[in-house]
Amino acid sequence: MTRLLLVEDELALARAMAVGLRDVGYVVDEAHDGEEALAGARSGLYDAIVLDLRLPGVSGLEVLRALRERGDRIPVLVVTACDTTQEVVAGLDAGADDYVTKPFAFAELLARLRALLRRSAASNPGAEGRLRTGDLELDPTQLRAWRDGRELGLSNLEYRLLEHLVRHAGRVQSRDRLAAALWETDATPESNALEVHVSSLRRKLDRGTATRMIHTRRGVGYLLEVAE
Ligand code: CA
C-alpha cells in the first residue's frame, strides 16, 4: 500500500487529482495549505508527497525546505506554475525529486510519481520503509527501534533523535540542528533538554553492549557511528 500526501490549495483540482490517484490504487490524504502539509509530513505516514508550490501562507518551497532541513528525505514531486523555469529550478534546489508543470497531463504525473517511488524503494531496500544500519533497525511508521533484535522502547522524542542521527550517520550534528529536528520552532525546551534526551537514548541504545554508538563532540554536537 502506497500512501500519498497531496498538497494542493485549489480544491477542485485537489479533488480531481485525489480521485485519479485513488483510481490507480494509491491511498491519498489531502492537505490544502503549507501548515497542513508540514503537519502531515511530520506524521511519517507517507511514502511520497505531491506538492503544489504556490500555496497560501507557508509556500510549497518553504514546506520543502523545512522537510529537507530536518533531514526528511521523503520523495517529493512538485507541481509548478506554467512557464516558470525559475520556480522549477527553485524547487529542485530546495530538494524536490522531480516536477510537473501546470497544466499537466495526468498520465505524466502518474509516470513521474511511479519513477520517483521506484527510485526511493531502490535506495531503501528494507521492507516497508524500515531503516537499517549496522545492528540497528528503525521503523519510521511506528516510531520503534531495535538494536540486535532487541526493542529499545524509545519515547517519541528519543526515536526522532535516533532517526535523525541514523539518517546523518558518521556526520557530526550540531546542537542547533538537532534541536531544530526535535522541537517546533515556537517550543522552548529547557537548555539542557537535548543532553537529557541524548543521555537517555544512549542508555537504552547501549544497554548490554560494549560499543557506544553516539559520540559527543564537545562544544559542537553529536554523531552516531555504526560498526558495519
Ligand atoms: Ca496553488
Side-chain angles (χ1 to χ4, degrees), residues 8-10 52 54 102:
E8 171 59 68
D9 61 305
E10 292 164 54
D52 182 30
R54 296 196 176 178
K102 281 180 183 173

Side-chain angles (χ1 to χ4, degrees), residues 108-141:
E108 183 186 350
L109 178 119
L110 288 180
R112 294 201 176 272
L113 197 53
R114 275 198 305 274
L116 182 139
L117 287 163
R118 234 180 359 249
R119 287 199 298 272
S120 148
S123 62
N124 291 304
E128 294 142 25
R130 286 199 174 191
L131 297 171
R132 290 190 182 85
T133 180
D135 58 1
L136 267 186
E137 180 169 354
L138 278 70
D139 183 339
T141 62

Side-chain angles (χ1 to χ4, degrees), residues 72-89:
D72 192 329
R73 295 188 306 173
I74 185 169
V76 176
L77 178 69
V78 294
V79 179
T80 66
C82 53
D83 299 331
T84 51
T85 312
Q86 246 182 338
E87 206 172 87
V88 170
V89 171

Side-chain angles (χ1 to χ4, degrees), residues 70 160-168 173 178 181:
R70 65 167 192 251
R160 296 219 304 274
L161 182 57
L162 179 61
E163 184 179 320
H164 184 93
L165 290 169
V166 164
R167 289 188 188 277
H168 300 86
Q173 296 300 298
L178 287 169

Side-chain angles (χ1 to χ4, degrees), residues 42-64:
R42 189 164 285 147
S43 72
L45 283 174
Y46 300 99
D47 301 295
I49 302 179
V50 177
L51 177 66
D52 182 30
L53 286 187
R54 296 196 176 178
L55 298 170
V58 179
S59 75
L61 268 185
E62 288 170 303
V63 169
L64 189 52

